[in-house]
Amino acid sequence: MFELISFFGLLVSLLLVAFHRRNTTDNIFLALYFASNTFYALTIQSFFTAELRWIVNLTFPYFILLNQNSGVFLWLYLKKKFYPNLKLSKWDFLHFLPSIFIFVNSSPYIFLNLVEKTYYLDLFFKSHGANISFPTLFIEYKYQTGYRMLATVGYSVFGIINFLILFRTKKLPQLLPFEIKYIVGLLLVSLIYYLSSLFVMYQIGDSIVRKVLMETNYAGLFIYARLSYFGLIVFNFFFPQIIFQSLNSTKEPKVKKSNLELDEKVLPNYDLDAIERQLDEYLQTKPFLKPGFSLYQFAEETKLPSHQLSYYLKVRFNQNFNDFKNQLRIEYAIEQLDLGMAKSHTLETISQNCGFRSRTNFVDAFKKITGKTPSDYLKK
């Protein structure tokens, strides 16, 4: 049963990578998050199952570089969702330093022969986790075992606090309703999983509990962690829009040509003034700065049919959606350039802040709208 759950965990990771939207990394970090949790669960199962200890012999301590960074991958995913225009900096990679230290500290195990490795694993297995005496470089192995649980709980709590602050201050980026539900659910289910795992680790460290376990087994104790891990994996299948991100991004309803051609004989009876009032308020949040902003998202977030939006843009601005979106982005870019943003930021950074996925697209759109390239505009 546990192996089946692990299979689904790996499946979720593979699907997230296979169907992630081009030029985005949020689902890559999410895939790494689930992969790290799955390999960690398999590793723990291997430590306490004699038939699976060959997995530890084969992968320890290499899996540390993945397993110990579950919390980091979770935070990087949240950062890409909460701050879509913010690029990762070199300081973000400092989050990986603890796992690198733990890996280096545990590296002597790599150079042991099979007999020696088996000896340490047997010692650990027969003592039901009481004797964690793997060879290390700096500190005893037992002092680093709790880091992952404490770190992941910390990252989960920090993610929840960050979400609440952005939500209450109305600084949360324009996310679709299902994205908000997914993020909230992911944080809560993850926190439950890590707290249950922390509880299991605490119980194993208790000498009285360990004495009872030595006379029975760990099945009853691990049930809490396994159930919460199962919930973490199954939770994803309720959000196919997240897993199949690239398919969802292209799922934009087609607008019939007759709605755009303004046939004088058959004019749609839309209240354009009401649509304009609604869009004026909505556009103040600058959703067009979000990379990948689409007509589908425009319709979802305004609760207006896409064909009405297309008709409105054609009547009021004589533009299609992409031209309208680029017009707003370039107007925002010009504001930034006039404020001197180019003195401290490259054009590539400015283009990304405006929602463009490449510098080339930004320059082409800028020239189409202003008749000048950004560089020429700055020379005025």
Side-chain angles (χ1 to χ4, degrees):
M1 180 62 181
F2 181 79
E3 289 76 9
L4 181 62
I5 299 173
S6 299
F7 166 78
F8 280 111
L10 292 177
L11 178 63
V12 168
S13 299
L14 292 174
L15 290 175
L16 285 167
V17 172
F19 292 98
H20 83 282
R21 190 182 298 127
R22 291 177 59 188
N23 301 319
T24 61
T25 56
D26 52 344
N27 271 22
I28 298 297
F29 290 128
L30 191 60
L32 289 170
Y33 173 66
F34 285 108
S36 64
N37 278 297
T38 298
F39 279 109
Y40 177 77
L42 280 172
T43 301
I44 295 300
Q45 181 76 4
S46 303
F47 266 116
F48 291 97
T49 306
E51 295 79 10
L52 297 177
R53 275 181 286 164
W54 62 270
I55 296 178
V56 181
N57 272 335
L58 184 66
T59 62
F60 185 82
Y62 304 107
F63 61 73
I64 286 175
L65 294 173
L66 181 64
N67 294 355
Q68 297 291 330
N69 286 310
S70 295
V72 179
F73 294 135
L74 175 62
W75 167 241
L76 292 177
Y77 168 72
L78 294 174
K79 186 172 183 179
K80 296 300 291 185
K81 303 304 288 187
F82 293 161
Y83 311 99
N85 295 319
L86 192 64
K87 293 185 68 175
L88 297 181
S89 68
K90 60 183 180 180
W91 301 108
D92 289 305
F93 294 97
L94 293 178
H95 291 276
F96 294 100
L97 285 181
S99 65
I100 295 174
F101 172 80
I102 293 174
F103 171 76
V104 173
N105 187 53
S106 307
S107 60
Y109 187 85
I110 299 174
F111 304 100
L112 300 179
N113 58 45
L114 183 59
V115 175
E116 292 172 319
K117 289 181 178 180
T118 303
Y119 165 76
Y120 283 110
L121 285 176
D122 283 341
L123 197 62
F124 177 84
F125 181 73
K126 291 176 181 178
S127 66
H128 288 259
N131 196 327
I132 309 177
S133 56
F134 297 151
T136 55
L137 285 178
F138 309 114
I139 62 174
E140 292 183 45
Y141 187 84
K142 63 182 180 181
Y143 294 121
Q144 66 188 32
T145 54
Y147 167 77
R148 181 184 184 275
M149 291 299 101
L150 292 174
T152 47
V153 169
Y155 277 110
S156 299
V157 172
F158 181 70
I160 292 173
I161 294 174
N162 206 264
F163 173 83
L164 292 175
I165 291 175
L166 291 174
F167 184 80
R168 294 190 64 179
T169 57
K170 297 183 178 181
K171 294 181 180 180
L172 197 67
Q174 288 295 323
L175 298 171
L176 293 173
F178 72 82
E179 291 180 299
I180 295 177
K181 292 178 182 177
Y182 180 80
I183 290 173
V184 172
L186 177 67
L187 286 169
L188 293 178
V189 176
S190 296
L191 184 59
I192 292 172
Y193 169 54
Y194 295 133
L195 287 175
S196 64
S197 299
L198 194 61
F199 170 75
V200 170
M201 180 169 291
Y202 171 78
Q203 292 290 77
I204 291 176
D206 188 287
S207 59
I208 298 176
V209 174
R210 189 166 55 244
K211 183 178 180 180
V212 175
L213 293 173
M214 290 177 69
E215 297 171 358
T216 56
N217 56 61
Y218 282 87
L221 185 58
F222 276 120
I223 190 66
Y224 305 109
R226 287 175 179 175
L227 283 176
S228 56
Y229 169 67
F230 176 73
L232 180 64
I233 299 303
V234 172
F235 164 77
N236 289 273
F237 292 99
F238 290 94
F239 293 88
Q241 308 99 316
I242 298 293
I243 296 178
F244 302 103
Q245 185 185 57
S246 61
L247 298 181
N248 182 58
S249 65
T250 59
K251 190 180 178 182
E252 295 186 8
K254 293 184 178 179
V255 181
K256 292 183 179 180
K257 190 175 182 181
S258 60
N259 285 337
L260 300 179
E261 289 183 339
L262 307 182
D263 189 341
E264 294 180 358
K265 296 180 181 179
V266 184
L267 290 176
N269 186 25
Y270 300 145
D271 188 345
L272 297 184
D273 291 333
I275 295 176
E276 183 171 3
R277 288 193 296 272
Q278 186 172 344
L279 294 188
D280 283 345
E281 182 178 353
Y282 169 70
L283 291 174
Q284 288 180 9
T285 63
K286 296 182 172 55
F288 48 84
L289 298 181
K290 184 177 180 181
F293 182 62
S294 65
L295 179 59
Y296 176 72
Q297 290 175 299
F298 197 15
E300 281 279 310
E301 293 172 2
T302 58
K303 307 301 180 185
L304 292 170
S306 59
H307 61 271
Q308 286 191 25
L309 292 170
S310 296
Y311 179 82
Y312 168 81
L313 296 178
K314 186 67 176 179
V315 173
R316 290 294 169 91
F317 304 103
N318 195 29
Q319 292 179 318
N320 60 31
F321 170 75
N322 284 330
D323 289 340
F324 176 72
K325 174 179 67 176
N326 287 340
Q327 176 81 33
L328 294 176
R329 287 176 170 178
I330 296 304
E331 289 176 358
Y332 178 79
I334 290 173
E335 291 177 10
Q336 301 305 302
L337 294 176
D338 290 343
L339 291 172
M341 184 68 70
K343 295 179 181 179
S344 56
H345 295 77
T346 64
L347 284 180
E348 183 176 0
T349 300
I350 293 173
S351 69
Q352 291 174 346
N353 290 341
C354 294
F356 291 96
R357 290 184 171 170
S358 72
R359 185 177 183 274
T360 302
N361 292 340
F362 171 61
V363 172
D364 290 344
F366 197 99
K367 188 173 183 180
K368 180 180 178 180
I369 293 171
T370 66
K372 301 177 181 179
T373 65
S375 300
D376 290 337
Y377 180 83
L378 289 170
K379 293 177 183 177
K380 66 176 183 177

